């Protein structure tokens, strides 16, 4: 698939880039995508949720009232889950939600997500660029020049660029990552995928492993 290369103003430069079919033209595997997104979201969970069981509640251990003759139910402890302020039955406990996926499956999921973007013509290739300074306005002008102001955008760079990253950080619908940070969730969550000319080659090399 051949794509026209644009500059930061959204104008064609005359250059073209070939998006390799091995990355952007595979038959998408929805189940692989599901597993990879599920793992990504699971890894975001801290798993620090915790409620107290009855043996962890601070309170008296005396019997609340005599066993018989009160006309009420038998009650032995104020820590009982039946009482307000008592322990919780089968409450949440700290746990690790992460799980393992094979590298080949994760690679297939990312290729599938990129292929979906290519099929929908939601991939834009930009010439390699940088900003002279860290200014949010620089990135706003970039997105505006591409007519993507109201869309979620994901810019993939071949390597870290502090000026570009920090210029985009305050923009709600914009995200900047490097090619080695690419994940299925971010690709699918973005309305438009912005690639620099160099990052196309970097992605091909990274996903070929």
């Amino acid at each position: 698939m051949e794509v026209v290369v644009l500059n930061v103003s959204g104008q064609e430069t005359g250059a073209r880039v070939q998006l390799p079919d091995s990355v952007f033209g595979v038959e998408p595997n929805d189940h692989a995508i599901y597993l990879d997104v599920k793992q990504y979201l699971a890894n975001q969970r801290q798993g620090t949720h915790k409620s107290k069981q009855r043996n962890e509640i601070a309170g008296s251990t005396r019997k609340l009232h005599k066993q018989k003759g009160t006309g009420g139910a038998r009650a032995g402890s104020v820590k009982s889950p039946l009482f307000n302020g008592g322990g919780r039955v089968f409450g949440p406990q700290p746990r690790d939600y992460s799980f393992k996926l094979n590298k080949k499956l994760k690679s297939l999921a990312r290729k599938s997500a990129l292929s979906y973007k290519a099929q929908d013509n939601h991939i834009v290739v930009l010439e390699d660029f940088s900003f002279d300074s860290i200014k949010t306005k620089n990135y706003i002008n970039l997105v505006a020049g591409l007519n993507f102001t109201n869309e979620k955008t994901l810019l993939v760079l071949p390597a870290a660029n502090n000026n570009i990253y920090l210029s985009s950080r305050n923009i709600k619908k914009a995200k900047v990552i490097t090619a080695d940070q690419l994940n299925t969730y971010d690709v699918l969550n973005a309305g438009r995928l912005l690639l620099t000319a160099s990052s196309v080659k970097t992605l091909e090399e990274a996903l070929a492993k």
Side-chain angles (χ1 to χ4, degrees), residues 130-151:
S130 183
F131 295 146
D132 295 331
S133 58
I134 301 171
K135 286 185 179 180
T136 303
K137 187 176 181 180
N138 289 338
Y139 203 87
I140 291 176
N141 291 337
L142 167 67
V143 176
L146 298 170
N147 294 321
F148 297 152
T149 303
N150 296 320
E151 292 191 58

Side-chain angles (χ1 to χ4, degrees), residues 72-89:
R74 296 169 290 182
S77 171
V78 74
K79 302 179 186 179
S80 169
L82 300 178
F83 293 123
N84 186 22
R88 184 173 176 183
V89 181

Side-chain angles (χ1 to χ4, degrees), residues 64-207:
L64 296 180
H65 54 71
K66 64 180 184 178
Q67 182 82 344
K68 294 179 180 293
T70 65
R74 296 169 290 182
S77 171
V78 74
K79 302 179 186 179
S80 169
L82 300 178
F83 293 123
N84 186 22
R88 184 173 176 183
V89 181
F90 304 129
Q93 299 294 314
R95 56 166 288 193
D96 180 11
Y97 283 91
S98 64
F99 60 93
K100 182 182 179 299
L101 287 180
N102 294 331
K103 288 182 180 180
K104 285 187 177 180
L105 187 143
K106 292 172 72 68
S107 178
L108 174 60
R110 289 164 192 181
K111 290 177 183 178
S112 298
L114 292 170
S115 296
Y116 270 131
K117 288 297 180 189
Q119 289 175 13
D120 296 336
N121 292 321
H122 287 171
I123 295 179
V124 175
V125 178
L126 303 172
E127 63 180 0
D128 294 331
F129 70 97
S130 183
F131 295 146
D132 295 331
S133 58
I134 301 171
K135 286 185 179 180
T136 303
K137 187 176 181 180
N138 289 338
Y139 203 87
I140 291 176
N141 291 337
L142 167 67
V143 176
L146 298 170
N147 294 321
F148 297 152
T149 303
N150 296 320
E151 292 191 58
K152 285 185 178 179
T153 59
L154 175 67
L155 174 62
V156 182
L157 302 173
N161 185 309
N162 216 37
N163 285 1
I164 296 177
Y165 170 70
L166 294 177
S167 295
S168 70
R169 196 166 56 171
N170 283 339
I171 304 174
K172 186 176 182 181
K173 293 186 177 182
K175 186 168 184 177
V176 175
I177 61 174
T178 56
D180 60 345
Q181 295 172 329
L182 186 84
N183 63 80
T184 306
Y185 177 82
D186 280 341
V187 173
L188 295 176
N189 189 46
R192 301 284 176 169
L193 180 62
L194 312 180
L195 305 175
T196 62
S198 297
S199 65
V200 174
K201 183 66 175 177
T202 308
L203 278 177
E204 183 182 12
E205 293 172 352
L207 294 175

